[in-house]
């Protein structure tokens, strides 16, 4: 019995580094996100993933990023990309421009996904003006599939160009069940955004 306990403790210690980068985000507390001045106040608990898609970004989830993904992009400066570059030479990512209009944001997201995620199908389904963090912004919806995956995904984004920098929040999940189950929590977080 003692040997089993020691083995269980050893196994727990080996598994700990895998989970060490993730963090529980408590409900009701303002949180600065994506290494920026952007703050949000979630009404429910989320899990912050340790891996980040880009320099000034972070991802939260309920059930794992394959099932729902809330990503913050905080203060992306001109000539920076949303994601880490895979290959600047063969697959350069589109870059934020200081002169971007809010209507350019969905196109930036689409082109970034097509290149970085090698996404064969991506459709911006709609867009409308909407305040974001108290500034003129945009709300847009989209759908896409990942390579070698038949599961259609749905997404919603909110963003604005503020002081020449891009601030953006996106939520995406499989169209079947997970998007509808999580989109209200995303909208609450996006509505709480402040600079």
């Amino acid at each position: 019995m003692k040997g089993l306990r020691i083995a269980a403790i050893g196994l727990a210690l080996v598994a700990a580094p895998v989970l060490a980068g993730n963090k529980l985000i408590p409900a009701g507390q303002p949180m600065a996100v994506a290494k920026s001045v952007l703050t949000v106040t979630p009404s429910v608990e989320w899990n912050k993933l340790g891996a980040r898609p880009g320099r000034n970004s972070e991802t939260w989830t309920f059930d794992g990023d394959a099932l729902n993904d809330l990503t913050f992009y905080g203060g992306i400066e001109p000539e920076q990309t949303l994601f880490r570059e895979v290959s600047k030479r063969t697959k350069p990512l589109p870059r934020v421009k200081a002169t971007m209009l809010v209507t350019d944001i969905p196109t930036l997201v689409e082109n970034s996904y097509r290149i970085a995620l090698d996404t064969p199908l991506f459709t911006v389904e709609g867009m409308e003006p909407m305040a974001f963090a108290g500034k003129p912004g945009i709300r847009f919806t989209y759908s896409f599939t990942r390579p070698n995956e038949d599961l259609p995904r749905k997404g919603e984004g909110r963003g604005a160009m503020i002081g020449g920098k891009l601030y953006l929040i996106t939520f995406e999940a499989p169209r079947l069940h997970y998007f509808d189950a999580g989109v209200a929590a995303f909208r609450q977080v996006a509505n709480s955004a402040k600079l």
Side-chain angles (χ1 to χ4, degrees):
M1 188 62 109
K2 184 177 180 183
L4 284 175
R5 256 188 279 173
I6 291 172
I9 291 170
L11 186 60
L13 292 174
V14 169
V18 174
L19 301 174
N22 297 344
K23 177 182 175 184
L24 183 66
I25 301 297
Q29 295 181 17
M31 301 290 298
V33 293
K35 294 187 171 185
S36 73
V37 295
L38 182 65
T39 63
V40 296
T41 305
S43 62
V44 296
E45 290 182 343
W46 289 82
N47 295 300
K48 177 182 172 183
L49 301 181
R52 296 179 324 185
R55 183 181 306 160
N56 285 57
S57 61
E58 70 181 61
T59 300
W60 296 1
T61 185
F62 286 126
D63 305 302
D65 64 340
L67 298 177
N68 41 51
D69 179 310
L70 171 63
T71 301
F72 303 92
Y73 303 89
I76 308 294
E77 300 206 14
E79 299 309 315
Q80 297 299 314
T81 60
L82 292 181
F83 306 119
R84 288 187 178 89
E85 291 273 8
V86 176
S87 173
K88 285 184 182 181
R89 180 175 290 169
T90 61
K91 294 175 99 175
L93 288 170
R95 299 184 177 282
V96 170
K97 302 293 181 197
T99 57
M100 284 176 55
L101 303 173
V102 292
T103 53
D104 296 328
I105 295 171
T107 304
L108 175 73
V109 171
E110 176 181 359
N111 293 336
S112 297
Y113 274 54
R114 286 186 182 275
I115 295 169
L117 302 178
D118 199 24
T119 303
L121 299 173
F122 189 108
T123 304
V124 175
E125 296 177 341
M127 61 176 89
E128 64 182 345
M130 176 176 268
F132 179 77
K135 304 292 183 188
I138 192 166
R139 174 190 170 273
F140 60 100
T141 56
Y142 55 95
S143 60
F144 69 100
T145 58
R146 292 180 178 174
N148 305 316
E149 185 178 278
D150 294 329
L151 188 63
R153 295 178 179 276
K154 189 172 179 181
E156 184 173 318
R158 304 234 191 127
M161 293 298 296
I162 303 170
K165 298 177 184 178
L166 173 64
Y167 292 86
L168 173 66
I169 303 175
T170 61
F171 176 76
E172 54 203 42
R175 186 178 293 275
L176 183 66
H177 175 70
Y178 287 96
F179 183 83
D180 289 338
V183 73
F186 154 73
R187 289 175 180 156
Q188 180 279 316
V189 168
N191 288 341
S192 76
K194 294 181 180 170
L195 289 178

